[in-house]
Amino acid sequence: MSSRKKNILKVIILGDSGVGKTSLMHRYVNDKYSQQYKATIGADFLTKEVNIDNDKVATMQVWDTAGQERFQSLGVAFYRGADCCVLVYDVTNTKSFQNIKSWRDEFLVHANVSTPETFPFVLLGNKIDADDSKKVVSNKAAQELAASLGNIPVFFTSAKTAINVDTAFQEIARSALQQNQNDADAFEDDFNDAINIQLDNDTNSCSC
Amino acid sequence: MMDIRDQYLDTEGAPIRKYNLRPSRSRASFQIQQRAKPSISINLDNTVVQTIVPPVDNTFTDDQDRAESIQAFPRLKSMHSISSLASRRAARNMASLDQLSVNSTIDPIVEQSYLYNSAFNNDVAAEGSQENGLDENVRRDLIERLAQSIYSYPTSLAKPHAYGPKSVVSNEIPDVFTSVNTSGDASKDLKSHGKNFLILTSAGKPIFSMFGNDKDIIPYMGVINTVVSYFQVNQKAQIRSINLKKTKQAFVFLNKSPILLMAYSRRGESTNQLMAQLDLLYSYLISSINERQLQRLFHNRSNFDLHNYLEVTDFDNLRQICFILCNKLYPDFSINALQCFIMRKTIRSKIHDTIHTELLNESKYIPRGTLLYGLILSHKRDMFKLCSVIRPKGHTLHTVDLQLLFCLITHQFANRDGDQELWLPICFPKFNSNGFLYSYIKYLSRAAPGSPNEDTVLVLISAQKDAFFKLKLFGDKLWNKLQSEKLGDYLIQDRLKFRISDIPAPLVHHFVYKSKKYVQYVMPELEIRTEDEAQLQQYEQKLKTYYEHLHHSAIDDRGVPINKTMLNYIHWETGPGNAQSLNGDGNDGDDDDTSEEFRRERTSMMGLVWITPQFELYLVCNNGVDNKETVLRSAKQIIEWCRKYEARLFIQEGATF
């Protein structure tokens, strides 16, 4: 644990099965892409050091969750204590776009965040490298959705051709750090925890 | 999933399976050889006597052989040992034989199992027949004299073969345990460490790890979090441990939401032992931030980064505790008692009287209620001994609280010079986990490096935040008074020490005796002549592991002694060139793939655990000892000796006010 006073940012990636959550993460962390599709089981964990606005360093702990229905029972555990939530849909898949709102609601229900209104989400429309003929979700629709979810940032990305991935994750890290610090500021230390002790009664005594 | 859980996972929801010593399910039969006595458990006037000898040679034989070997030989053998025990007991207690309940199959405890090759067994058989030829009395006399004579051999780790081939009874103890790396630096590959502790938040954010850098550790934290959550969400249970028998890896989890702790070990420690170690680490965290504060920090902020909130010293202290847990012979934690510093009864009571008088005389400077608790300790090589206690009548502090305080003291003073004083807020988790007490700490003396003396420390504890000057004044006056009464030197220089040879207990290598009444223990000085810290550590490690096994044999899975009174013998045996496996009924699997890890040294070690409502005795015999009666007699001698010198060995009352 060499890195003292370095924030650890927990980032959750959510979205339907096959929208490219894992590919996005691998593109970002390892700058690699694999054509082969392998469904995530449960969750994947990756870490990356991030430099935010060139002056703050943090460690991003990315929790890449499984999109498949059967892993959803674990969601509760994954969402707890997240600093930022990334919602991913596939621009060639209408269903995945329609489900974004329910992913967000699901997250808010289980994550137990202190201020749901201001909790940072980032919306990513993935696979924009696809032929225009295959794209079924318009950028306009995405921007409208983002606005309706509380003006959350939206990015159109491609894990395959590395479009916008770094930019998106920079924004994700910035939002996460902001959230982390907001929470820290809201708290005031109070060390007035002295114990009242009366020596003449035995209530504090220990049995051994 | 269910299958896996049933086999390997140990959750609070599911009943815990103890493996039977004898792997009766999977093999057709076992040929039980001369030395193989089945486990015996005898109930004699409520004292359970257990003899635990690991099963021998699980080679296949046909059914006829099996019937023969089980029915004829071991039965006879075990009856012999029972009756010899019984006759001794009968003489004293008039217990008749039909009151004995003999159970030769139940053995819930020992997880070791062993293999011998047939050559070795033949040797033993030959020896056995020779032995039988000797007159029993002559034989016993010889053994007795041999046992007495071993004290003329100096213990030497430096020259293990100085006396030629190993004698039948040697006073060196061999290492029968896998050697695993624990002292390596953090930069090494994570997998190379035999043990690791990880602490994280319930959100999966890292707080502390004994080994491993952030980048390696963070993904593991996520996995740990997922595993624990899986059982919480899907099974409504708390996972306690995962044990992989083949690789002998154990993962133990402690969920103290918002904190999660996990221990990893390849050393064959039990779940319960690792759990206790995790609890200690958690207690340390609480001692530093207290439980109320912790809940407040995480309230509505499950993303809180405790790692950033803790101080550098916290990590140092945690690392220190981990080091002690992994590498030191430090029975304090495992048997939950404190070691006390030996002192003549008259001197100890004089010191206590002086403290008491001083406290009364100074009552106008230090009003009643200011001082809650006071201690004088001695300290050497991270080992603490209690010299004196000042406490209010009817109040004591829990040993865990004191152990945490001791750990803090070692570390806080490590790089300071002797004259410095410290005012330390500390939460005593077992006393009150929601608030702080304040400790005034001062070194009364510092031993020069290399001198046999130990450091002496004064600790005064108050519940008042602003009592520093009052306590400091009292501390100074007290120390001046003790010195003017010529008692100071007893605390600094004239240390009584004892060695195992000071007690007429033949065949015993080392022991730990705990007085339950005083929650204190004694053990003889370590007798190895080496200046080499690495060798010393290796020796401590070895003894520590023997004691861990002994302790483990006496407690159940929840850390409670199996019986209020019990007497266990444990054997550790290996033959030259034989594979052996420890911990886990390795007979089920293929032992060959693990044999490389073990030292090939001929070993026959015996240990004893004796627990009664008054005391606990753990002893390790010299290599080659197999005479239980002599060992039992030695154990009795030790107990008698400890009782006789009770007033010297333990602090009985302290200065109470």
Side-chain angles (χ1 to χ4, degrees), chain B residues 187-199:
Chain B
S187 61
K188 270 206 189 142
D189 181 19
L190 210 53
K191 290 180 199 132
S192 72
H193 301 291
K195 192 161 173 175
N196 205 346
F197 291 104
L198 300 156
I199 308 178

Side-chain angles (χ1 to χ4, degrees), chain A residues 109-126:
Chain A
V109 166
H110 293 306
N112 192 22
V113 296
S114 52
T115 49
E117 319 79 48
T118 59
F119 186 86
F121 287 93
V122 174
L123 182 64
L124 303 185
N126 195 27

